[in-house]
Amino acid sequence: MGDAYLIGAGQSPFGSFPDETYRSLFDTAFDRCLASVDGAVEPAQIEEAFVGTLGVGGRQIGLSGPAVTEHLGLHGVPTTRVENACASSGYSLRNAVATVRAGMADLVLAGGYEVMTDTSGDHTKWWLGVSGETEWERLSGTTFAGVYAQMASAHMAEYGTTTEDLSRVAVKNHANGAQNPDAHLGFECSLEDAMNAPSVADPLNLYHCCPTTDGASAVLVASEAVARDLSDEPIRIAGVGAASGRVGLFQRPSLTSIPATRTAAERAYEEAGVSPEHLDFAEVHDCFAIAELLAYEDLGFCAPGEAGTLLREGRTDPDGDLPVNTSGGLKSKGHPIGATGTGQVVEAFKQFRGTAAVQTDDPQYGLAHNVGGSGGGVTVHVFERASEVGS
């Protein structure tokens, strides 16, 4: 199989946009994606598309992929809707890479969208809950925040993780997001603010939770031949890992780890021929503060129980050994469910191009980690700066 390359990436602003539609948001992401490509790309050159969305609000349930691509000039292009909860567009990217590697297409669009702010709080809470185990979690009243609160409580009990550790995630990510013009919550917060915010689901408070967000994102994946023609700075998608996990927490042997993340990461590292020590930055799925700490451990950035130490020592700060969530993460940039996975890839693209708002120093390897629900589906992608296409 041939290699696959990331040659373009763009996103709409993330936030609350009562005057926008899911189509207009995706149009913006697509236009920005095309504009980021070094060479000129016409929609007619795109041979396949994968679009992720949960479908919050129930707007266009059937054929929701073609409903957005039909407005982009992709007439006749096979378009597939991908739904794996919050990991929907992470799986869209995986499908795009597989399609290119298999030789079925030379240029593939992967992306996602979600509109979440035009329904009531109770309605949105219901839609978020459908990504949990239906019978024993959602129908018994457990919220999305409640599920992660259980994970946070277990991690605190087992490893001594503190409210301050959770709050430091928010402080770091808000500091990064404050510099991101596309962030939903683009403001800084103090440690005091983050520790003393109103409770949402104990021990998680308001600053430990991501917002509900409108937005879209899109990336272009190309074969070697197309990347050679269109990309001056090739970014190889070096490793792809994915795994499913038990959807309900009660089915898992432990609440202090997401096994699907570990499996997906192992597969991505093995395929890329790297280890966590090679990474220069990472975008990880921080829907709640505890999720970022779990990611540190499950992705191999540190041993189990050491995530709080990694954070306190500043090693995941922009000037640390491994900057994490320089975009602001889901916590600050926002979490439009279907757009989140490829939204992380937009940040990776900018890091390699040297155009990120919070820029790392000459990165060679980066990682994007996207989680569906509380761990029912996970993707991990490793990206590599290539000196030339095919190298």
Side-chain angles (χ1 to χ4, degrees):
M1 294 190 298
D3 278 331
Y5 292 83
L6 180 66
I7 66 165
Q11 67 166 81
S12 72
F14 284 5
S16 177
F17 305 110
D19 296 328
E20 297 277 2
T21 68
Y22 67 95
R23 286 172 169 146
S24 66
L25 290 166
F26 199 80
D27 285 353
T28 297
F30 182 69
D31 288 345
R32 290 183 174 186
C33 177
L34 292 185
S36 73
V37 181
D38 297 320
V41 177
E42 296 296 329
Q45 294 175 258
I46 298 170
E47 299 171 282
E48 189 143 356
F50 297 94
V51 180
T53 183
L54 179 64
V56 170
R59 53 201 81 243
Q60 180 68 44
I61 295 296
L63 295 175
S64 53
V68 290
T69 59
E70 68 184 6
H71 292 268
L72 307 178
L74 305 185
H75 306 299
V77 172
T79 300
T80 303
R81 174 197 176 171
V82 180
E83 188 285 298
N84 250 358
C86 315
S88 293
S89 58
Y91 275 88
S92 292
L93 177 61
R94 179 175 184 264
N95 289 343
V97 173
T99 300
V100 168
R101 286 179 173 178
M104 293 180 65
D106 287 312
L107 188 59
V108 180
L109 173 68
Y113 68 84
E114 212 74 61
V115 174
M116 304 178 67
T117 65
D118 64 347
T119 61
S120 70
D122 286 343
H123 197 188
T124 301
K125 186 186 300 182
W126 186 91
W127 276 100
L128 289 170
V130 302
S131 299
E133 200 280 333
T134 299
E135 185 175 6
W136 296 101
E137 288 183 352
R138 182 169 65 83
L139 293 182
S140 65
T142 303
T143 64
F144 198 33
V147 168
Y148 275 92
Q150 293 175 64
M151 299 166 82
S153 294
H155 206 272
M156 288 174 156
E158 186 166 345
Y159 296 118
T161 303
T162 66
T163 301
E164 182 173 324
D165 293 330
L166 299 174
S167 299
R168 286 186 182 278
V169 172
V171 172
K172 173 181 68 68
N173 291 351
H174 271 279
N176 292 339
Q179 300 182 62
N180 185 346
D182 290 326
H184 187 171
L185 304 180
F187 55 84
E188 296 188 13
C189 73
S190 68
L191 184 60
E192 181 180 4
D193 290 337
M195 291 186 66
N196 296 310
S199 178
V200 172
D202 189 64
L204 301 178
N205 67 36
L206 186 63
Y207 271 98
H208 302 151
C209 307
C210 70
T212 54
T213 304
D214 306 333
S217 58
V219 304
L220 281 173
V221 179
S223 66
E224 291 186 15
V226 171
R228 189 174 291 110
D229 288 340
L230 296 177
S231 181
D232 298 332
E233 301 177 70
I235 301 166
R236 190 169 75 96
I237 304 173
V240 179
S244 296
R246 297 183 181 276
V247 176
L249 292 187
F250 68 94
Q251 297 173 305
R252 300 179 192 174
S254 170
L255 302 189
T256 60
S257 173
I258 295 178
T261 292
R262 291 179 176 268
T263 301
E266 289 169 2
R267 291 171 177 168
Y269 291 144
E270 181 178 4
E271 186 174 86
V274 301
S275 65
E277 290 72 24
H278 289 92
L279 299 176
D280 298 299
F281 68 87
E283 287 288 301
V284 309
H285 198 94
D286 61 321
C287 51
F288 298 92
I290 185 60
E292 179 161 327
L293 298 180
L294 294 178
Y296 292 176
E297 298 171 5
D298 290 334
L299 292 168
F301 300 168
C302 64
E306 294 182 1
T309 300
L310 193 75
L311 183 70
R312 288 192 299 273
E313 291 177 349
R315 292 166 59 191
T316 57
D317 288 348
D319 59 353
D321 299 334
L322 178 55
V324 173
N325 287 340
T326 51
S327 69
L330 285 62
K331 176 64 196 76
S332 176
K333 187 174 77 167
H335 184 24
I337 290 176
T340 291
T342 42
Q344 295 174 320
V345 180
V346 172
E347 177 68 12
F349 182 82
K350 290 180 177 180
Q351 286 293 340
F352 285 113
R353 289 302 182 94
T355 61
V358 179
Q359 183 63 50
T360 59
D361 184 24
D362 191 30
Q364 300 301 307
Y365 291 97
L367 176 146
H369 159 250
N370 191 199
V371 177
S374 60
V378 176
T379 63
V380 175
H381 291 87
V382 174
F383 304 93
E384 176 189 13
R385 181 195 300 276
S387 57
E388 60 183 25
V389 175
S391 64

